[in-house]
Amino acid sequence: MAAPRRKPKAAPPAAPVADEAPPAVAGPPLVRDLGAGIARLAEVAIFPVRHHSPRTSAAVRAFLDATSPEVVLVEAPRDALPIVPHLFDADTEPPVAILAYRTEGAPASILFPMATYSPEYVAFRWAHERGVRTACIDLATGERIAYDEKQAALAALEEESAAAPDAAAAAEPDAVDPDHALALAHGFRSFDELWEAWFEAPAYVADDFRRVLMAWCEAARPTEREIDRARDARMARHIVAELERGTAPGKIAVVIGGAHAAALVNGVVDPALEARVAATVPTAITLIPYSFPRLAAQVGYGAGNRAPRYYQRAHDRACDYARATLELLIEFTEHLRMRGFAASLADTIEAYRLALALTDLRGKHAPGLDELRDATVATMCRGERAHVDSFLWPTVVGKTVGKVGARIGKNSLQDEFWRELRARGLPATDEREAFTLKLGDVVQVDTSVFLHRLRLADVPYATYRGSQGVASQAAAPEDTAGGFDALARVREHWEAQWTPSTDVALVERIVHGDTLAQVVERALAARLATAATAADAATILMEAVVARAPQVVGEALAAAERLAAVDDDLASLARAARALSGLVSYGSSRGTDAATTAVLEALLDKTFTRAVLRVEGACQGDDAAVAPVIDALRVLHELAVAQRRLDRELWFATALALVRGDRVHPRCAGLLAGLMFLGEQLTEADVVGLVAVRLSSLADPAAGAAFLEGFLAVNALVLVKNRAIVAALDDFMQGIAAERFRDVVPLLRRALAHLGATERRYLLEHLLAVRQIGGSARAAAQVLAAKDVDKLAEINADLASAMDDLDDLL
């Protein structure tokens, strides 16, 4: 099996096998000194695995039949042996993956996926069916995870040192893939195409296939990494241990990766490298479902290929690729007809004939994926590749999700997840599915709580796509999945897809709790411990309510009150007040009780009052200092108007005092003036007077422009509909000195950018009236009509003739 892929996260235990705990390490005792045993490795029957495919699996089976071994040694983690029998439980269906995860300390895990045509799976099954002893001879999972963690730490140090000036010069060039280079040298577009032409399609005699494959592995053997060379030594030690046990070399069958096989056969083994993997960490092993789309996504990894379902068909048809190609072409035809395309059986036959013709032209023994694709594009799709890429090629990849037998113990989080999926009818396949929840329904609210718990637990399954009337590919930037928006919305659009990563995450999260609610409470508690502002605590409080994590609600309430008492940031206090207001207004939809609501109301009142008292200080400063205050002022006004229990008189009195004074930034004053007009605390006459005063000073035109920007951001229409205000604005603009006008233009443009088409029309009408431009224009038109009508008619005729000539030229 190829080197396992390290996952970025992982975590502790969940009983891997029901009623059975696997030992840390399984297998025969290892010899202390390889010594002369290395020379005997070439005597052992070794099968090199280079690609997981039907032809390889058939060759492995024939190799084992011919060898009739007493023991089968397979490249798999040494401690995975106890899980191997469960691969063949009656209710287990590949693709599946062996998952090893760390049970203590920092989370980490590794996966070993398998399909029915994976050589390791075939070797295990052959031994299982015949009762032949089996051993796994690769590094134990704890050793591999410990090594990967060590290398990750070293890589982090190297990244830090990469900032040095000569780091780029010292960087090594990217390694050349020998497989790809050889494929290009022989006229193939990729190694996958070469593999199908040289190895997969020809009907080899099994032993010839093994010898040819070994020759290829020796010729294309890449420069092995340190970890791979250490694995060579470990595998060699296992094989030598079998030899010293007295097993005849010809009765030891070894199924390992091609690079490892080439190293062992040629005796290129350095036992000293095993010391590099001496460290280990505690791990547990279980079996999880896998899927064809995930296998296809792992091109370059042994268990992966371009089209798992296509290979599965070929495997089921005893490597008859012509038959597999024809069956998929028939499916393509059905898909095209279902989508309204003109596709017939004649098209299918023509595509199949073309695939065979391309096979002959390319010197292949049977059609492969490239012939299937090219024939489909040329015949069925009339040259349009888009149809193949959009909906036909997924048929080649497949959507199959494996199953794990009941004897494999799922942890409580996995049980809860799959139970909720079945009960709520949520998607359970490795394919994106969209759906909408209507939050007026109690059942669908519970479904929303479940999805939000997965989101907060960082379990990859569902993605929030907004709450707008029509579902879209992504939520609007201001429409966040959690927080205040989650409380106020009436619907939620989601897109869900199970992947093996979902089960991996559920296994990893078991260390944080036995239920999703416990996992979420622990995650939110960790965030709460680092909360530094009232807004942070209030946001966590909202998330706790959205996900129904009652234990965190009380702690977050206390933290929000404590932090609000010392928080001097107006923006933070305003966000906290908005969050508390949302909980007071909508919290009952997520199960908030009356006692909690009473506490929320009291905390909201305190936080709002503290925020209002900090408004004046926050509105003082330069443009950069007051930029974050603008949204806070809007929020406080919305709360004062919407929440009757708040001290709105305090808010109105504070805002009016700042509007009428000159102690705060003019942009803040303009914004507050607009808000007070909306709140009916200022009349239109008051606004006219304020604007006239603010725009009357030409000594500092930037201040007047900033006031306009603030006001127009709230209520542009009330200004531009009032002729007196437009007149004051016109006088202000004309009064700016020429040498200062250029400096004020950016501010004016930013202020007037809030005007829409309607506001601009009103502004233009009043401006023309103020300057009496309309009447002068009509008078000029009358004089012009009486004096020069003949001249204009002549010019018009000349223009018409010129346009006709231009049309002729074009």
Side-chain angles (χ1 to χ4, degrees):
M1 180 176 291
R5 186 181 67 174
R6 181 175 183 265
K7 304 295 287 183
K9 292 183 179 179
V17 181
D19 303 322
E20 181 179 347
V25 176
L30 297 182
V31 295
R32 292 189 176 183
D33 185 14
L34 286 175
I38 294 178
R40 300 185 63 192
L41 293 176
E43 303 173 19
V44 177
I46 299 178
F47 191 100
V49 174
R50 182 57 191 86
H51 208 57
H52 286 214
S53 67
R55 184 68 67 187
T56 305
S57 66
V60 168
R61 192 177 297 106
F63 160 74
L64 293 172
D65 287 338
T67 305
S68 188
E70 295 178 9
V71 61
V72 178
L73 307 182
V74 181
E75 180 188 330
R78 190 181 186 203
D79 50 339
L81 187 60
I83 209 77
V84 169
H86 297 283
L87 291 169
F88 313 110
D89 288 347
D91 46 353
T92 296
E93 297 178 9
V96 293
I98 296 174
L99 169 66
Y101 55 97
R102 187 170 181 171
T103 56
E104 294 179 9
S109 65
I110 44 178
L111 274 173
F112 304 85
M114 293 187 219
T116 55
Y117 51 79
S118 296
E120 295 86 359
Y121 181 86
V122 171
F124 283 137
R125 175 174 282 283
W126 186 94
H128 177 77
E129 291 173 346
R130 292 161 179 78
V132 174
R133 186 163 55 89
T134 307
C136 301
I137 62 172
D138 205 347
L139 300 176
T141 56
E143 293 173 318
R144 183 58 192 267
I145 290 175
Y147 179 86
D148 287 345
E149 289 178 347
K150 177 183 176 182
Q151 294 305 113
L154 292 175
L157 292 175
E158 290 177 1
E159 287 181 6
E160 293 179 3
S161 62
D166 58 342
E172 296 182 1
D174 294 336
V176 177
D177 181 2
D179 285 333
H180 184 68
L182 283 171
L184 294 179
H186 288 87
F188 295 98
R189 290 168 287 185
S190 65
F191 173 70
D192 289 309
E193 187 178 9
L194 178 146
W195 175 268
E196 289 177 359
W198 285 8
F199 294 93
E200 201 65 26
Y204 280 98
V205 174
D207 195 53
D208 290 343
F209 181 87
R210 182 170 72 97
R211 286 189 284 104
V212 169
L213 188 53
M214 181 66 81
W216 172 272
C217 292
E218 291 178 348
R221 185 185 175 199
T223 302
E224 288 189 300
R225 300 172 300 167
E226 178 186 75
I227 182 62
D228 294 322
R229 294 168 63 200
R231 293 169 65 206
D232 291 341
R234 176 60 57 84
M235 294 180 199
R237 193 173 295 278
H238 278 279
I239 297 171
V240 172
E242 279 295 335
L243 291 170
E244 293 192 355
R245 185 176 181 170
T247 308
K251 291 299 180 180
I252 301 175
V254 182
V255 180
I256 58 176
H260 300 300
L264 298 187
V265 168
N266 291 282
V268 186
V269 178
D270 184 358
L273 287 173
E274 277 192 278
R276 304 293 179 89
V277 290
T280 187
V281 296
T283 59
I285 295 182
T286 188
L287 200 62
I288 65 169
Y290 217 65
S291 69
F292 277 171
R294 297 305 110 182
L295 287 174
Q298 293 192 39
V299 174
Y301 174 62
N305 53 59
R306 293 187 292 172
R309 186 165 180 265
Y310 177 71
Y311 281 129
Q312 185 67 52
R313 279 185 175 275
H315 173 75
D316 296 340
R317 304 295 181 270
C319 297
D320 188 345
Y321 279 88
R323 174 71 178 273
T325 300
L326 178 58
E327 290 179 358
L328 276 175
L329 286 172
I330 293 173
E331 285 193 22
F332 283 0
T333 305
E334 293 174 355
H335 280 294
L336 287 167
R337 292 176 67 180
M338 288 175 61
R339 292 174 179 265
F341 292 91
S344 65
L345 184 59
D347 293 317
T348 307
I349 296 172
E350 186 62 27
Y352 182 62
R353 287 175 175 171
L354 180 56
L356 295 178
L358 289 172
T359 301
D360 292 336
L361 287 172
R362 293 168 179 173
K364 297 182 179 181
H365 293 77
L369 282 170
D370 295 285
E371 288 70 42
L372 172 66
R373 179 186 179 84
D374 293 342
T376 301
V377 171
T379 56
M380 295 182 180
C381 298
R382 312 297 189 265
E384 291 289 338
R385 294 182 177 273
H387 300 325
V388 174
D389 295 331
S390 61
F391 60 86
L392 291 180
W393 207 245
T395 304
V396 176
V397 173
K399 303 174 184 177
T400 302
V401 174
K403 296 179 182 178
V404 172
R407 288 206 301 155
I408 294 295
K410 292 184 175 66
N411 68 31
S412 57
L413 294 180
Q414 291 174 294
D415 284 336
E416 179 182 356
F417 174 80
W418 288 106
R419 184 175 63 250
E420 291 291 331
L421 255 60
R422 289 190 295 268
R424 304 186 183 285
L426 293 172
T429 62
D430 196 353
E431 183 181 14
R432 293 181 183 274
E433 293 186 37
F435 57 92
T436 298
L437 298 178
K438 297 180 180 178
L439 302 183
D441 182 353
V442 176
V443 174
Q444 296 191 49
V445 169
D446 291 342
T447 302
S448 174
V449 170
F450 170 66
L451 296 177
H452 281 290
R453 284 177 175 174
L454 292 175
R455 174 180 62 83
L456 292 170
D458 198 21
V459 175
Y461 171 70
T463 303
Y464 175 68
R465 293 302 185 192
S467 60
Q468 61 278 11
V470 179
S472 62
Q473 290 298 315
E478 66 277 4
D479 187 4
T480 57
F484 182 87
D485 294 327
L487 295 172
R489 64 176 66 108
V490 297
R491 72 176 65 83
E492 290 178 342
H493 302 299
W494 292 87
E495 190 174 77
Q497 178 183 18
W498 175 90
T499 68
S501 298
T502 306
D503 267 295
V504 171
L506 292 168
V507 170
E508 293 175 351
R509 302 298 180 273
I510 193 65
V511 68
H512 300 307
D514 296 326
T515 66
L516 284 173
Q518 292 176 2
V519 173
V520 168
E521 285 179 343
R522 183 163 181 174
L524 292 178
R527 288 173 55 185
L528 189 62
T530 61
T533 65
D536 293 339
T539 299
I540 295 169
L541 174 60
M542 283 192 294
E543 293 283 36
V545 172
V546 168
R548 290 184 186 163
Q551 182 176 334
V552 181
V553 170
E555 297 172 0
L557 274 170
E561 184 169 12
R562 172 175 50 82
L563 291 170
V566 296
D567 198 341
D568 292 327
D569 183 18
L570 179 64
S572 172
L573 289 171
R575 291 198 304 273
R578 183 174 184 264
L580 295 169
S581 174
L583 292 170
V584 169
S585 300
Y586 307 110
S588 59
S589 66
R590 300 283 175 162
T592 304
D593 56 34
T596 303
T597 301
V599 175
L600 288 170
E601 290 175 351
L603 181 56
L604 169 61
D605 183 61
K606 293 178 183 178
T607 305
F608 176 80
T609 301
R610 289 165 180 158
V612 173
L613 294 176
R614 287 166 173 78
V615 167
E616 181 174 348
C619 291
Q620 296 172 348
D622 57 14
D623 292 348
V626 301
V629 175
I630 300 301
D631 287 336
L633 297 177
R634 289 177 178 272
V635 168
L636 293 176
H637 181 76
E638 291 172 1
L639 296 179
V641 173
Q643 293 286 355
R644 298 291 181 182
R645 59 181 58 82
L646 297 179
D647 189 354
R648 65 177 59 190
E649 296 305 322
L650 174 64
W651 164 249
F652 289 147
T654 301
L656 288 172
L658 297 178
V659 166
R660 291 172 176 145
D662 58 357
R663 301 189 303 274
V664 298
H665 193 284
R667 184 183 176 191
C668 295
L671 182 76
L672 289 171
L675 294 174
M676 291 303 99
F677 181 79
L678 286 180
E680 299 180 351
Q681 302 302 302
L682 290 176
T683 64
E684 190 169 323
D686 294 333
V687 172
V688 171
L690 277 172
V691 173
V693 170
R694 291 283 183 172
L695 301 185
S696 62
S697 175
L698 297 179
D700 185 12
F707 181 87
L708 275 179
E709 180 186 358
F711 193 97
L712 292 175
V714 178
N715 198 335
L717 192 59
V718 70
L719 283 184
V720 298
K721 285 182 68 175
N722 189 292
R723 187 165 298 179
I725 292 178
V726 173
L729 176 61
D730 186 43
D731 291 340
F732 169 72
M733 305 260 289
Q734 292 188 74
I736 300 174
E739 63 274 10
R740 303 195 61 182
F741 190 81
R742 179 176 295 179
D743 297 332
V744 182
V745 164
L747 294 173
L748 292 173
R749 294 178 66 179
R750 191 170 64 190
L752 298 176
H754 297 290
L755 301 182
T758 302
E759 289 87 353
R760 291 175 184 176
R761 187 178 70 251
Y762 277 117
L763 177 62
L764 183 59
E765 289 177 358
H766 288 306
L767 187 60
L768 292 173
V770 166
R771 295 195 179 188
Q772 298 181 345
I773 294 176
S776 300
R778 283 191 294 273
Q782 291 174 359
V783 172
L784 184 62
K787 185 176 180 181
D788 296 325
V789 65
D790 294 335
K791 183 65 174 176
L792 288 175
E794 181 181 346
I795 294 173
N796 186 54
D798 292 341
L799 285 173
S801 177
M803 292 301 294
D804 290 339
D805 293 341
L806 183 61
D807 289 339
D808 293 338
L809 289 173
L810 296 176

